């Protein structure tokens, strides 16, 4: 229920992640590379100015709509070149909103593909919300908004719309099907026609599953550099997820090639001797409704040289249509953690959180008996091996948190309050790292490494001239066809990164900005502009350049939903490196020139 809002936290990753998966993705030649092989559908778009939730309606401001909800989808369409978009049901349902789906997505953003409804969203417009009086009216709303739906023939027979609307929607679907090669003859004779079961569990694919798990693990605490552990230790594996298998796959999962549970991983890829690894669940399951198994877990832990506590959640606590009402670990899990850590006789205690969503582990964070904490998400089939690789130092952790981790008091905020900006008069702290003003357990983008990385700014401008307000308005209104307008203000920021630790590893560089109006009238306190990952050997150094488009990346959304590049000092931060860029308005320069009789005025 109270999870961090997805749009504000990781919307930027849509385009950038696709570049990592498919080389050339988003480049000018992308349509000639893989356009016949894959179509990306983005979901779920989005909210209307009035949001229908739990049989009631809430207002969504134009500022939040343009600043938070829409940008991830817009970047997936424009930069990520998505060919399909899934709409959902809200107050004026997005699935019935011509302004959103046709004028914004197709005409303004330039979606070259089709719209599809989320599951039974069209039916919900009639059956559940009463927005449409009949099923045929719901279909008519969908088609008039820009896409096909069930009951179309019945709606045509009842004169709900002109048949030409069907032709328009059908054209969008057939266009994508043709690009995929679906009309090119027998699929078996096409480029991927020979693919079959033999291509699923190859060594390369299983190695990819392992590498994905390793790169996703986030090290949150490592007091005294207790990790990595040496292999010659007797290990106690404790916790309801200590021998998890299917749980590691998460939701919407496929069939794995095999399972490597945390217990298996620590036995076979860590200590290497099953006689040195002892297991006690401590709880019957993650609900942990009783504490009767805790004494056995304490006994096992007290005889070990190191303890690995694997706790967290499963699909029994978090999944689609099942919202959490608390951010704490379920049941007696915290009692299990505290008891084991207290009676571990001073040996290293590693706490592993397996979950999709954040958990309030403030107690463990401050507990000196717990020297290390890792978040592994739901790590997939090779999760246990990935955990062992990091715990015993075969892999240097480099993951970062994709969402903020809030304390339990965050649950006092109503789930149905869609406002993003804080309200001092009511004590409402806002949502997401960009705007939230309350307490935090771990911040968005946080993550430790076994190495230390330094950052030195080597090149960046001190001042820039912004476009006129009229030019800015034109750019944001017609971005798909006017990218050249802003190119004159683009600049590069170059950072020298060095691994000064003794271990090779990947390092993620997150570029944040703080505008002159940060925290004022809904402007973000800070925002992520870009991120890149470098693999650096011990003592290796490399330069990395971020190319910045101020019109897109440094602009803020005002209360009326319009974008503006604020004049004044913008602070850019990458790790420990900071740089200030002063932006001067072209309008003010023009005014100065006119008032000075035509003399040039420079910033």
């Amino acid at each position: 229920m109270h999870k961090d809002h997805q749009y504000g936290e990781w919307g930027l990753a849509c385009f950038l992640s696709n570049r990592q998966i498919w080389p050339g993705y988003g480049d000018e030649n992308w349509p000639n590379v893989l356009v016949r092989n894959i179509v990306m559908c983005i979901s779920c778009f989005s909210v209307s100015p009035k949001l229908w939730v739990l049989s009631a309606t809430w207002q969504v401001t134009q500022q939040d709509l343009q600043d938070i909800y829409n940008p991830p989808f817009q970047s997936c369409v424009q930069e990520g070149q998505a060919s399909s978009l899934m709409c959902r049901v809200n107050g004026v349902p997005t699935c019935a909103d011509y302004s959103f789906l046709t004028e914004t997505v197709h005409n303004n953003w330039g979606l070259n593909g089709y719209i599809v409804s989320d599951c039974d969203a069209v039916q919900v417009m009639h059956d559940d919300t009463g927005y449409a009086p009949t099923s045929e009216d719901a279909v008519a709303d969908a088609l008039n908004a820009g896409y096909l739906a069930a009951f179309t023939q019945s709606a045509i027979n009842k004169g709900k719309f002109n048949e030409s609307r069907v032709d328009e929607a059908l054209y969008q679907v057939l266009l994508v099907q043709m690009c995929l090669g679906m009309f090119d003859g027998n699929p078996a004779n096409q480029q991927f026609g020979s693919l079959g079961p033999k291509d699923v569990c190859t060594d390369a694919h299983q190695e990819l599953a392992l590498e994905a798990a390793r790169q996703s693990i986030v090290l949150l605490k490592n007091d005294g550099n207790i990790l990595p552990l040496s292999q010659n230790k007797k290990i106690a594996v404790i916790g309801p997820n200590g021998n998890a298998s299917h749980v590691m796959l998460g939701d919407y999962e496929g069939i794995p090639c095999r399972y490597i549970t945390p217990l298996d991983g620590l036995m076979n890829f860590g200590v290497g001797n099953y006689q040195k690894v002892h297991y006690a669940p401590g709880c019957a399951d993650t609900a942990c409704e009783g504490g009767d198994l805790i004494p056995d877990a304490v006994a096992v832990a007290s005889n070990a040289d190191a303890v690995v506590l694997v706790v967290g959640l499963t699909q029994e606590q978090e999944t689609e249509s099942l919202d959490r009402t608390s951010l704490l670990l379920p049941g007696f899990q915290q009692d299990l953690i505290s008891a084991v850590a207290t009676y571990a006789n001073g040996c290293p205690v590693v706490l592993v959180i397996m979950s999709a969503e954040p958990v309030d582990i403030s107690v463990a964070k401050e507990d000196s008996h717990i020297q290390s904490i890792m978040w592994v998400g739901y790590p997939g089939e090779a999760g246990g091996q990935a955990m062992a690789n990091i715990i015993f130092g075969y892999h240097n952790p480099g993951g970062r948190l994709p969402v903020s981790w809030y304390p339990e008091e965050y649950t006092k905020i109503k789930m149905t309050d869609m406002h993003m900006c804080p309200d001092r008069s009511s004590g409402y702290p806002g949502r997401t790292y960009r705007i939230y003003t309350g307490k935090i357990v771990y911040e968005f983008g946080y993550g430790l490494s076994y190495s230390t990385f330094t950052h030195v700014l080597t090149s960046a401008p001190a001042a820039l001239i912004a476009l006129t307000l009229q030019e800015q308005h034109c750019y944001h209104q017609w971005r798909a066809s006017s990218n050249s307008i802003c190119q004159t203000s683009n600049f590069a920021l170059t950072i020298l990164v060095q691994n000064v630790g003794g271990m090779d590893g990947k390092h993620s560089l997150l570029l944040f900005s703080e505008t002159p109006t940060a925290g004022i009238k809904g402007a973000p306190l800070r925002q992520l502009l870009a991120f890149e990952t470098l693999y650096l050997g011990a003592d290796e150094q490399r330069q990395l350049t971020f190319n910045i488009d101020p019109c897109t990346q440094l602009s803020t959304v005002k209360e009326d939903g319009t974008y503006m590049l604020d004049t004044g000092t913008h602070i850019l931060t990458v790790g420990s490196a900071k740089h200030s860029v002063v932006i001067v308005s072209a309008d003010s320069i023009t005014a100065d020139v006119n008032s000075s009789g035509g003399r040039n005025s420079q910033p």
Side-chain angles (χ1 to χ4, degrees):
M1 176 179 291
H2 298 283
K3 57 188 175 185
D4 211 345
H5 204 285
Q6 60 179 328
Y7 302 112
E9 295 287 319
W10 50 260
L12 173 66
C14 174
F15 170 54
L16 297 178
S17 296
N18 285 323
R19 276 192 177 276
Q20 298 295 323
I21 297 171
W22 298 300
Y25 194 94
D27 294 340
E28 291 182 358
N29 64 340
W30 165 250
N32 300 319
V33 178
L34 289 177
V35 71
R36 298 173 63 84
N37 304 331
I38 191 167
V39 163
M40 179 172 66
C41 177
I42 50 178
S43 174
C44 295
F45 182 74
S46 168
V47 298
S48 295
K50 286 187 178 180
L51 178 64
W52 182 88
V53 179
L54 302 178
S55 303
T57 301
W58 283 266
Q59 294 287 340
V60 176
T61 67
Q62 283 297 317
Q63 186 177 38
D64 286 344
L65 193 65
Q66 300 301 330
D67 186 40
I68 298 289
Y69 290 103
N70 282 357
F73 298 95
Q74 184 175 3
S75 67
C76 284
V77 170
Q78 294 184 327
E79 283 84 19
Q81 298 188 10
S83 299
S84 178
L85 181 144
M86 181 185 290
C87 61
R88 70 199 314 177
V89 174
N90 298 307
V92 175
T94 309
C95 288
D97 196 328
Y98 175 85
S99 174
F100 250 23
L101 297 184
T102 295
E103 292 185 350
T104 298
V105 176
H106 276 295
N107 298 343
N108 188 283
W109 295 357
L111 176 70
N112 191 19
Y114 62 93
I115 305 292
V116 62
S117 66
D118 183 2
C119 200
D120 55 354
V122 176
Q123 184 179 347
V124 168
M125 288 194 287
H126 165 58
D127 293 352
D128 297 339
T129 70
Y131 177 82
T134 68
S135 295
E136 288 78 11
D137 286 303
V139 172
D141 290 334
L143 268 166
N144 287 326
Y147 65 100
L148 290 167
F151 295 101
T152 297
Q153 185 62 57
S154 177
I156 292 176
N157 295 341
K158 293 183 179 182
K160 296 296 183 179
F161 53 81
N162 191 290
E163 191 170 341
S164 63
R165 297 294 296 163
V166 179
D167 295 337
E168 294 172 9
L170 188 60
Y171 168 81
Q172 297 166 0
V173 175
L174 292 174
L175 175 66
V176 174
Q177 289 179 333
M178 292 181 70
C179 290
L180 287 170
M182 296 176 67
F183 301 101
D184 290 354
N186 187 349
N189 298 326
Q190 307 306 316
Q191 183 177 359
F192 297 107
S194 62
L195 289 178
K198 69 181 188 306
D199 301 297
V200 177
C201 289
T202 64
D203 291 343
H205 291 163
Q206 293 187 59
E207 178 62 28
L208 179 61
L210 172 60
E211 183 61 19
R214 284 191 296 225
Q215 291 193 29
S216 300
I217 291 175
V218 183
L219 182 62
L220 299 173
K221 180 181 178 181
N222 196 25
D223 288 354
N225 294 322
I226 201 71
L227 292 182
L229 297 178
S230 62
Q231 286 185 294
N232 59 348
K233 291 183 180 294
K234 185 166 62 174
I235 304 294
V237 181
I238 308 293
N241 279 335
N243 199 28
S245 55
H246 184 262
V247 170
M248 298 192 300
L249 303 184
D251 206 355
Y252 288 89
E253 75 280 14
I255 300 173
C257 303
R258 59 173 178 163
Y259 290 116
I260 304 176
T261 72
L263 182 60
D264 293 336
L266 292 166
M267 280 185 177
N268 300 314
F269 300 97
V271 175
N273 183 346
Y274 72 92
Q275 295 180 337
K276 286 188 174 183
V277 179
H278 301 273
Y279 171 60
C283 299
D285 51 35
T286 52
C288 202
E289 295 177 346
D292 53 307
L293 297 180
I294 293 179
D296 289 342
V298 170
V300 171
S302 62
N303 290 314
D305 299 321
V307 177
V308 179
L309 271 158
V310 190
V311 300
L313 309 174
T314 69
Q315 302 303 297
E316 296 298 319
Q317 286 85 40
E318 53 175 4
T319 187
E320 185 169 356
S321 300
L322 179 61
D323 294 325
R324 295 163 62 203
T325 57
S326 172
L327 290 174
L328 298 173
L329 288 166
F332 284 78
Q333 284 198 47
Q334 183 56 58
D335 297 83
L336 170 66
I337 294 169
S338 297
V340 168
T342 300
Y343 292 99
N345 296 326
C347 71
V349 176
V350 181
L351 178 63
V352 178
I353 307 295
M354 188 179 293
S355 70
E357 299 177 349
V359 179
D360 181 358
I361 52 171
S362 301
V363 175
K365 179 182 178 181
E366 301 302 326
D367 190 341
S368 60
H369 297 100
I370 300 171
Q371 294 89 356
S372 183
I373 301 176
M374 291 166 44
W375 178 65
V376 299
Y378 291 126
E381 63 174 49
Q385 182 177 352
M387 288 169 47
N389 286 167
I390 287 180
I391 288 173
F392 290 98
Y394 298 114
H395 183 85
N396 193 347
R400 302 295 187 94
L401 287 180
V403 294
S404 303
W405 283 32
Y406 299 106
E408 174 68 3
E409 65 187 61
Y410 187 72
T411 60
K412 297 177 182 178
I413 301 173
K414 291 182 179 180
M415 180 189 70
T416 51
D417 191 333
M418 293 295 111
H419 292 94
M420 291 291 160
C421 299
D423 184 350
R424 292 182 180 178
S425 62
S426 65
Y428 178 68
R431 295 183 186 272
T432 85
Y433 81 95
R434 300 172 74 249
I435 305 173
Y436 177 71
T437 56
K439 297 178 181 178
I440 208 82
V441 180
Y442 287 109
E443 64 179 354
F444 166 75
Y446 182 80
L448 302 175
S449 169
Y450 294 154
S451 289
T452 300
F453 297 88
T454 61
H455 314 84
V456 177
L457 178 75
T458 60
S459 176
L464 292 172
I465 299 176
L467 299 178
T468 66
L469 294 180
Q470 182 178 2
E471 289 173 328
Q472 290 185 45
H473 175 75
C474 289
Y475 170 76
H476 289 292
Q477 188 69 24
W478 305 106
R479 188 189 303 180
S481 59
S482 62
N483 286 332
S484 60
I485 294 178
C486 274
Q487 289 180 353
T488 55
S489 61
N490 291 357
F491 67 93
L493 184 145
T494 302
I495 299 287
L496 178 65
V497 187
Q498 183 172 5
N499 180 357
V500 296
M503 189 172 182
D504 301 353
K506 283 193 172 183
H507 178 56
S508 295
L509 292 100
L510 280 60
L511 173 61
F512 290 95
S513 74
E514 179 183 332
T515 70
T517 58
I520 301 173
K521 294 184 177 181
L525 298 170
R526 62 173 186 149
Q527 60 184 352
L528 180 66
L529 302 186
F531 64 88
E532 293 287 349
T533 301
L534 293 178
Y535 186 89
L536 296 173
D539 296 324
E540 183 183 0
Q541 63 179 20
R542 286 173 58 187
Q543 282 196 336
L544 177 71
T545 297
F546 289 100
N547 294 308
I548 308 301
D549 174 2
C551 291
T552 302
Q553 295 173 285
L554 299 183
S555 293
T556 56
V557 178
K558 304 307 175 184
E559 291 176 301
D560 62 357
T562 60
Y563 288 82
M564 183 180 296
L565 180 57
D566 294 319
T567 57
T569 301
H570 292 248
I571 301 174
L572 305 178
T573 305
V574 180
S576 56
K578 287 190 175 184
H579 178 68
S580 297
V581 177
V582 178
I583 295 181
V584 181
S585 169
D587 293 298
S588 64
I589 294 176
T590 301
D592 289 343
V593 170
N594 292 338
S595 64
S596 61
R599 294 188 301 273
N600 289 330
S601 178
Q602 298 293 332

mmCIF file of all heavy atoms in Angstrom, residues 481-500:
data_model
loop_
_atom_site.group_PDB
_atom_site.id
_atom_site.type_symbol
_atom_site.label_atom_id
_atom_site.label_comp_id
_atom_site.label_asym_id
_atom_site.label_seq_id
_atom_site.Cartn_x
_atom_site.Cartn_y
_atom_site.Cartn_z
ATOM 1 N N SER A 481 9.322 17.032 -32.720
ATOM 2 C CA SER A 481 9.722 17.565 -34.026
ATOM 3 C C SER A 481 10.586 18.814 -33.924
ATOM 4 O O SER A 481 10.818 19.483 -34.912
ATOM 5 C CB SER A 481 8.460 17.894 -34.841
ATOM 6 O OG SER A 481 7.671 18.844 -34.149
ATOM 7 N N SER A 482 11.049 19.131 -32.706
ATOM 8 C CA SER A 482 11.789 20.392 -32.570
ATOM 9 C C SER A 482 13.026 20.234 -31.690
ATOM 10 O O SER A 482 13.392 21.138 -30.973
ATOM 11 C CB SER A 482 10.866 21.463 -31.977
ATOM 12 O OG SER A 482 10.439 21.095 -30.673
ATOM 13 N N ASN A 483 13.676 19.073 -31.736
ATOM 14 C CA ASN A 483 14.829 18.850 -30.879
ATOM 15 C C ASN A 483 15.954 19.835 -31.131
ATOM 16 O O ASN A 483 16.734 20.144 -30.240
ATOM 17 C CB ASN A 483 15.347 17.419 -31.062
ATOM 18 C CG ASN A 483 14.436 16.398 -30.400
ATOM 19 O OD1 ASN A 483 13.770 16.711 -29.425
ATOM 20 N ND2 ASN A 483 14.397 15.196 -30.941
ATOM 21 N N SER A 484 16.066 20.332 -32.363
ATOM 22 C CA SER A 484 17.188 21.199 -32.711
ATOM 23 C C SER A 484 17.127 22.547 -32.007
ATOM 24 O O SER A 484 18.146 23.230 -31.892
ATOM 25 C CB SER A 484 17.230 21.410 -34.227
ATOM 26 O OG SER A 484 16.031 22.026 -34.668
ATOM 27 N N ILE A 485 15.969 22.950 -31.532
ATOM 28 C CA ILE A 485 15.818 24.262 -30.904
ATOM 29 C C ILE A 485 16.770 24.409 -29.720
ATOM 30 O O ILE A 485 17.380 25.460 -29.511
ATOM 31 C CB ILE A 485 14.362 24.483 -30.434
ATOM 32 C CG1 ILE A 485 13.423 24.550 -31.642
ATOM 33 C CG2 ILE A 485 14.243 25.750 -29.606
ATOM 34 C CD1 ILE A 485 11.970 24.727 -31.263
ATOM 35 N N CYS A 486 16.900 23.357 -28.932
ATOM 36 C CA CYS A 486 17.639 23.451 -27.681
ATOM 37 C C CYS A 486 19.107 23.073 -27.789
ATOM 38 O O CYS A 486 19.843 23.168 -26.813
ATOM 39 C CB CYS A 486 16.975 22.556 -26.621
ATOM 40 S SG CYS A 486 15.638 23.385 -25.754
ATOM 41 N N GLN A 487 19.543 22.628 -28.942
ATOM 42 C CA GLN A 487 20.896 22.111 -29.048
ATOM 43 C C GLN A 487 21.968 23.147 -28.754
ATOM 44 O O GLN A 487 23.071 22.807 -28.334
ATOM 45 C CB GLN A 487 21.115 21.501 -30.436
ATOM 46 C CG GLN A 487 20.360 20.200 -30.658
ATOM 47 C CD GLN A 487 20.587 19.615 -32.036
ATOM 48 O OE1 GLN A 487 21.207 20.247 -32.889
ATOM 49 N NE2 GLN A 487 20.084 18.412 -32.262
ATOM 50 N N THR A 488 21.650 24.413 -28.962
ATOM 51 C CA THR A 488 22.645 25.471 -28.733
ATOM 52 C C THR A 488 23.019 25.609 -27.265
ATOM 53 O O THR A 488 24.079 26.128 -26.945
ATOM 54 C CB THR A 488 22.110 26.814 -29.247
ATOM 55 O OG1 THR A 488 20.847 27.085 -28.622
ATOM 56 C CG2 THR A 488 21.929 26.785 -30.762
ATOM 57 N N SER A 489 22.149 25.138 -26.356
ATOM 58 C CA SER A 489 22.449 25.253 -24.927
ATOM 59 C C SER A 489 22.961 23.957 -24.318
ATOM 60 O O SER A 489 23.270 23.916 -23.123
ATOM 61 C CB SER A 489 21.200 25.715 -24.162
ATOM 62 O OG SER A 489 20.152 24.774 -24.307
ATOM 63 N N ASN A 490 23.061 22.885 -25.109
ATOM 64 C CA ASN A 490 23.568 21.617 -24.582
ATOM 65 C C ASN A 490 25.033 21.752 -24.156
ATOM 66 O O ASN A 490 25.794 22.529 -24.741
ATOM 67 C CB ASN A 490 23.448 20.507 -25.624
ATOM 68 C CG ASN A 490 22.004 20.125 -25.901
ATOM 69 O OD1 ASN A 490 21.080 20.656 -25.274
ATOM 70 N ND2 ASN A 490 21.797 19.214 -26.824
ATOM 71 N N PHE A 491 25.417 20.994 -23.146
ATOM 72 C CA PHE A 491 26.811 21.046 -22.703
ATOM 73 C C PHE A 491 27.236 19.680 -22.177
ATOM 74 O O PHE A 491 26.424 18.789 -21.932
ATOM 75 C CB PHE A 491 27.010 22.121 -21.630
ATOM 76 C CG PHE A 491 26.317 21.847 -20.317
ATOM 77 C CD1 PHE A 491 26.981 21.200 -19.278
ATOM 78 C CD2 PHE A 491 25.010 22.267 -20.107
ATOM 79 C CE1 PHE A 491 26.359 20.964 -18.068
ATOM 80 C CE2 PHE A 491 24.372 22.032 -18.898
ATOM 81 C CZ PHE A 491 25.051 21.384 -17.867
ATOM 82 N N ALA A 492 28.546 19.513 -21.998
ATOM 83 C CA ALA A 492 29.121 18.261 -21.512
ATOM 84 C C ALA A 492 29.730 18.475 -20.130
ATOM 85 O O ALA A 492 30.319 19.522 -19.850
ATOM 86 C CB ALA A 492 30.184 17.749 -22.478
ATOM 87 N N LEU A 493 29.560 17.489 -19.264
ATOM 88 C CA LEU A 493 30.168 17.484 -17.942
ATOM 89 C C LEU A 493 31.025 16.228 -17.840
ATOM 90 O O LEU A 493 30.517 15.115 -17.976
ATOM 91 C CB LEU A 493 29.083 17.511 -16.857
ATOM 92 C CG LEU A 493 29.553 17.596 -15.404
ATOM 93 C CD1 LEU A 493 28.587 18.434 -14.577
ATOM 94 C CD2 LEU A 493 29.687 16.202 -14.787
ATOM 95 N N THR A 494 32.324 16.406 -17.624
ATOM 96 C CA THR A 494 33.263 15.277 -17.626
ATOM 97 C C THR A 494 33.808 15.044 -16.229
ATOM 98 O O THR A 494 34.236 15.981 -15.547
ATOM 99 C CB THR A 494 34.427 15.529 -18.605
ATOM 100 O OG1 THR A 494 33.889 15.748 -19.913
ATOM 101 C CG2 THR A 494 35.362 14.340 -18.643
ATOM 102 N N ILE A 495 33.772 13.779 -15.814
ATOM 103 C CA ILE A 495 34.208 13.376 -14.477
ATOM 104 C C ILE A 495 35.350 12.362 -14.597
ATOM 105 O O ILE A 495 35.304 11.454 -15.424
ATOM 106 C CB ILE A 495 33.047 12.726 -13.694
ATOM 107 C CG1 ILE A 495 31.891 13.715 -13.505
ATOM 108 C CG2 ILE A 495 33.513 12.194 -12.351
ATOM 109 C CD1 ILE A 495 32.166 14.794 -12.491
ATOM 110 N N LEU A 496 36.377 12.542 -13.773
ATOM 111 C CA LEU A 496 37.439 11.552 -13.661
ATOM 112 C C LEU A 496 37.115 10.662 -12.464
ATOM 113 O O LEU A 496 37.012 11.138 -11.329
ATOM 114 C CB LEU A 496 38.800 12.224 -13.466
ATOM 115 C CG LEU A 496 39.992 11.268 -13.295
ATOM 116 C CD1 LEU A 496 40.228 10.467 -14.568
ATOM 117 C CD2 LEU A 496 41.250 12.047 -12.910
ATOM 118 N N VAL A 497 36.943 9.365 -12.725
ATOM 119 C CA VAL A 497 36.572 8.401 -11.686
ATOM 120 C C VAL A 497 37.747 7.464 -11.441
ATOM 121 O O VAL A 497 38.356 6.957 -12.387
ATOM 122 C CB VAL A 497 35.331 7.578 -12.105
ATOM 123 C CG1 VAL A 497 34.858 6.710 -10.949
ATOM 124 C CG2 VAL A 497 34.222 8.486 -12.593
ATOM 125 N N GLN A 498 38.069 7.235 -10.165
ATOM 126 C CA GLN A 498 39.179 6.334 -9.839
ATOM 127 C C GLN A 498 38.756 5.348 -8.756
ATOM 128 O O GLN A 498 38.085 5.707 -7.783
ATOM 129 C CB GLN A 498 40.407 7.104 -9.360
ATOM 130 C CG GLN A 498 41.613 6.202 -9.091
ATOM 131 C CD GLN A 498 42.871 6.975 -8.793
ATOM 132 O OE1 GLN A 498 42.853 8.201 -8.700
ATOM 133 N NE2 GLN A 498 43.988 6.268 -8.645
ATOM 134 N N ASN A 499 39.115 4.092 -8.963
ATOM 135 C CA ASN A 499 38.920 3.056 -7.953
ATOM 136 C C ASN A 499 40.159 3.024 -7.071
ATOM 137 O O ASN A 499 41.214 2.529 -7.482
ATOM 138 C CB ASN A 499 38.695 1.705 -8.635
ATOM 139 C CG ASN A 499 38.494 0.564 -7.648
ATOM 140 O OD1 ASN A 499 38.561 0.737 -6.439
ATOM 141 N ND2 ASN A 499 38.241 -0.631 -8.174
ATOM 142 N N VAL A 500 40.056 3.570 -5.870
ATOM 143 C CA VAL A 500 41.220 3.641 -4.978
ATOM 144 C C VAL A 500 41.225 2.495 -3.980
ATOM 145 O O VAL A 500 42.040 2.481 -3.052
ATOM 146 C CB VAL A 500 41.264 4.994 -4.237
ATOM 147 C CG1 VAL A 500 41.444 6.129 -5.220
ATOM 148 C CG2 VAL A 500 39.997 5.202 -3.404
#
